[in-house]
Amino acid sequence: MKYFKYLFFIMVLASASSCKKFLDTKPSDFLAPETFYATDAQLISALAAVYDPLGWETMYGNNLFSNLTIATDESFWNRSAQTTGTQVYSFDYAHADVSGLWAACYTGIERANILIANINKPEMDETKRQDILGQALFLRGYYYFLLASNFGGAPLKLVPQPSVSDAQYINVPRSSVNDVYTQVLKDLTDAEGKLNSIVSNNNAEAISKTAVQGILARVCLTMAGSPVNDASKYAEALSWAKKVQSSGMHSLNTTYDASLTNSAYSQIFITALRDEYNLKESMWEIGFYGNRISDSYVEGGRVGNTVGLAFSPSVNSPDSIGYCYGFVNITKRQYLRYGNGDLRRDWAIAPFRYNNAAPFAKVNWTTSTIYNRNVGKWRRSYEKLTPKHKNYTPTNFQILRYADVLLMLAEAENEVNGPTSTAYDALNEVRRRAYGVSLTASNATADATLGMNKDAFRTFIQEERSRELCFEGLRKGDLIRWGLFVSRLNEIGNEIANDATNPSFKWGGLAGKNVTERDLLLPIPSTEMSVNKAITAADQNAGW
């Protein structure tokens, strides 16, 4: 990770993504709390270890924007031979993607618990201590949010594991999903009062005060919808989103490098691909670093490599393009969501492919080849670091953008007060940037139609979130909280299979056809059920 790359202790703490080494055994090089947490530098290195699981391939290194979330009404898995797996909703509770996400969350939680328990040991600047504590609290809460939103109820563990054989710690029953969310809100609100601003951090990888506020808006919207259905949380989501807006720390990107692109929207992703920050727009990122070739770091992710513009040349890949599997194609419904003049479409959805034989020319798609198109947001040709690894990139994954906050604000305002000017203003700010016009002046082409009622505005927001945030790992959760996931995926499955304009990708509807009510949650993994005697078959999620 770029921000933490100089913290050499992370290499000891996180050495094997080894929850085995770190959690399950007492290795000879174990860093005892009584000796390790003696300085502020050691606290910071321990904090880096708490962040570390977020970058594993089981999380934002790949699966949380790919395998576990990509089959929606936006996109489908582009492999005809893939008839089983999480990508097509044909798997069981022993699948590695399921156990990997669960284990990564609990590794992060345990590391956060250890840091929180030892936070007061060193003599140090108190403001700095509180910021470290705030980050650790946030991360623990965020890991529990991932558990609650993906698995439902989960065991709550809030103190470090006393020993590897402590049965009382291992055999912890599932808490209800409501209790887990209560803990998430507590950790995140406690963190919000302790954290630095993003300007003070001077990077988007360390969580900041406004980023927590934005994530709190996301958590509250999730709780307001299905399956929790706590409608009171709409008002809380609105409050948190407004705090971000009123902070003055963030704004939509409106500039771009004309030598690289033609829109401020595409510049957001080019900036990330070029290993740079945009602190105004990009509020929280998972940091990746290096190429695993010319450096000793193993911190590269797969942004742009699994989901991106396919390029698999018959000879060695030129560094000007970069290898990509192109595992994901877009749905016709996603393509048709964009209006004429919306600059987001031909960036988010690649309008061309690469010829895999020299000279590797671009070949434009036609209007009859919609299902052939890859996701285009992360194009490895913009990476600056060379040589380019075949499978790993240094590109950060953006978890929270200011555009998302504005759309959450508009959605929550509509639910609380109806489609007021506040809701329209936030929505239209995003849309005006999409059409390349002034953010502050009315525009007949870009602006949403006036006079919508609450239901119509809700539907418009649901579509706008897809236009703006597609392929960023959010659509599945959005569809679930809106109560649309199963019906929408079933629709998409039939659309793809029966579309007369789609002669080549009819198998792309497999995920949609496979989805049932059980897929609203992942199963409690077999790895947990085999060791945790407090969770029995009767505790498993419905349908699994």
Side-chain angles (χ1 to χ4, degrees):
M1 296 185 179
K2 292 189 288 294
Y3 178 56
F4 296 113
K5 68 181 183 290
Y6 298 113
L7 304 175
F8 62 91
F9 276 112
I10 191 176
M11 306 310 294
V12 180
L13 284 174
S15 63
S17 320
S18 140
C19 46
K20 252 185 180 169
K21 186 171 184 182
F22 190 75
L23 295 176
D24 299 337
T25 63
K26 188 174 182 180
S28 59
D29 61 350
F30 179 77
L31 299 173
E34 60 269 21
T35 58
F36 179 68
Y37 295 89
T39 67
D40 56 350
Q42 289 176 337
L43 284 187
I44 293 171
S45 2
L47 177 62
V50 184
Y51 276 95
D52 188 54
L54 290 169
W56 295 356
E57 288 191 47
T58 51
M59 297 189 79
Y60 291 105
N62 189 50
N63 285 3
L64 284 179
F65 62 81
S66 179
N67 297 19
L68 290 170
T69 63
I70 204 65
T72 65
D73 58 352
E74 297 175 344
S75 54
F76 63 92
W77 196 252
N78 174 25
R79 288 295 180 273
S80 59
Q82 181 97 41
T83 58
T84 62
T86 53
Q87 304 95 326
V88 293
Y89 294 105
S90 177
F91 61 97
D92 62 21
Y93 80 141
H95 198 282
D97 290 348
V98 176
S99 59
L101 176 59
W102 181 277
C105 286
Y106 276 106
T107 299
I109 288 165
E110 176 67 4
R111 293 177 181 183
N113 286 339
I114 294 171
L115 176 54
I116 292 166
N118 291 279
I119 193 69
N120 290 319
K121 288 195 171 176
E123 292 185 8
M124 60 183 293
D125 176 78
E126 194 57 32
T127 300
K128 189 174 183 181
R129 187 199 313 275
Q130 290 303 307
D131 182 67
I132 294 171
L133 175 58
Q135 291 184 64
L137 286 167
F138 168 80
L139 290 167
R140 182 173 70 180
Y142 191 76
Y143 286 123
Y144 273 121
F145 173 55
L146 291 176
L147 288 168
S149 56
N150 284 284
F151 297 94
L156 278 173
K157 301 181 179 183
L158 303 175
V159 295
Q161 183 168 348
S163 72
V164 295
S165 59
D166 189 298
Q168 187 173 1
Y169 189 91
I170 295 170
N171 299 323
V172 180
R174 290 182 74 181
S175 293
S176 70
V177 67
N178 284 9
D179 285 346
V180 177
Y181 273 119
T182 296
Q183 185 61 46
V184 171
L185 291 177
K186 183 180 187 307
D187 279 349
L188 267 59
T189 52
D190 286 350
E192 189 263 349
K194 301 178 185 297
L195 289 169
N196 292 333
S197 70
I198 195 167
V199 174
S200 298
N201 289 344
N202 198 33
N203 76 86
E205 294 171 28
I207 196 71
S208 66
K209 188 180 189 72
T210 47
V212 174
Q213 293 166 351
I215 295 296
L216 275 162
R218 180 179 294 172
V219 170
C220 289
L221 279 181
T222 303
M223 295 177 68
S226 181
V228 177
N229 294 311
D230 180 357
S232 69
K233 289 296 184 288
Y234 282 119
E236 293 182 37
L238 178 60
S239 175
W240 288 117
K242 282 186 172 181
K243 285 185 178 182
V244 178
Q245 185 184 51
S246 64
S247 73
M249 293 281 180
H250 300 283
S251 59
L252 297 181
N253 178 61
T254 56
T255 62
Y256 60 92
D257 182 340
S259 68
L260 300 174
T261 185
N262 68 341
S263 79
Y265 180 76
S266 52
Q267 186 68 50
I268 301 163
F269 305 97
I270 292 172
T271 296
L273 288 157
R274 293 170 68 81
D275 227 9
E276 300 165 359
Y277 294 125
N278 177 349
L279 301 183
K280 292 287 190 180
E281 166 107 16
S282 189
M283 298 173 62
W284 185 35
E285 303 176 0
I286 302 305
F288 296 100
Y289 178 78
N291 58 9
R292 298 196 182 197
I293 297 173
S294 57
D295 57 62
S296 60
Y297 297 101
V298 188
E299 292 291 336
R302 305 196 71 173
V303 179
N305 172 254
T306 55
V307 181
L309 248 170
F311 182 63
S312 52
S314 54
V315 297
N316 289 337
S317 168
D319 278 333
S320 60
I321 297 177
Y323 197 99
C324 175
Y325 292 92
F327 283 150
V328 179
N329 281 20
I330 63 95
T331 65
K332 186 175 183 178
R333 185 178 294 205
Q334 181 63 23
Y335 184 84
L336 294 177
R337 279 191 166 112
Y338 296 94
N340 292 334
D342 191 329
L343 298 172
R344 295 172 297 189
R345 189 194 69 187
D346 287 346
W347 181 261
I349 299 171
F352 64 88
R353 64 176 175 84
Y354 287 114
N355 188 327
N356 287 324
F360 311 111
K362 293 179 180 179
V363 180
N364 290 329
W365 293 117
T366 68
T367 55
S368 64
T369 50
I370 292 177
Y371 289 100
N372 303 67
R373 303 180 187 220
N374 293 142
V375 172
K377 274 190 171 176
W378 300 280
R379 306 180 184 189
R380 295 197 64 189
S381 58
Y382 290 92
E383 291 174 20
K384 293 194 297 184
L385 181 64
T386 57
K388 295 178 182 178
H389 195 286
K390 176 181 177 180
N391 290 331
Y392 294 97
T393 81
T395 302
N396 283 6
F397 185 76
Q398 298 161 318
I399 290 188
L400 180 67
R401 296 196 284 114
Y402 185 60
D404 188 3
V405 173
L406 288 174
L407 293 176
M408 289 192 290
L409 192 159
E411 180 180 353
E413 172 71 10
N414 182 57
E415 297 299 334
V416 175
N417 299 311
T420 64
S421 59
T422 297
Y424 268 101
D425 287 348
L427 170 61
N428 285 334
E429 193 172 338
V430 174
R431 288 187 57 77
R432 289 168 189 166
R433 195 263 300 274
Y435 282 80
V437 299
S438 168
L439 302 189
T440 57
S442 298
N443 184 279
T445 301
D447 288 1
T449 303
L450 289 172
M452 286 187 280
N453 63 24
K454 186 174 185 177
D455 290 342
F457 193 90
R458 181 188 299 119
T459 299
F460 195 97
I461 283 287
Q462 290 170 353
E463 294 294 284
E464 190 64 29
R465 284 187 64 80
S466 187
R467 286 186 280 265
E468 176 70 25
L469 304 168
C470 54
F471 322 125
E472 295 180 39
L474 299 173
R475 189 62 174 176
K476 179 182 178 182
D478 280 347
L479 291 173
I480 289 172
R481 68 184 177 86
W482 292 327
L484 298 174
F485 180 69
V486 176
S487 61
R488 183 66 59 81
L489 265 289
N490 292 164
E491 288 174 15
I492 291 295
N494 288 324
E495 279 181 19
I496 295 175
N498 299 320
D499 191 337
T501 68
N502 175 28
S504 304
F505 294 91
K506 293 188 181 298
W507 44 263
L510 183 60
K513 290 187 171 184
N514 285 341
V515 162
T516 66
E517 292 293 323
R518 79 170 193 169
D519 295 300
L520 294 171
L521 291 172
L522 296 174
I524 304 303
S526 60
T527 48
E528 177 69 15
M529 298 190 74
S530 66
V531 298
N532 186 346
K533 305 309 177 186
I535 297 180
T536 68
D539 299 310
Q540 182 58 278
N541 288 327
W544 295 99

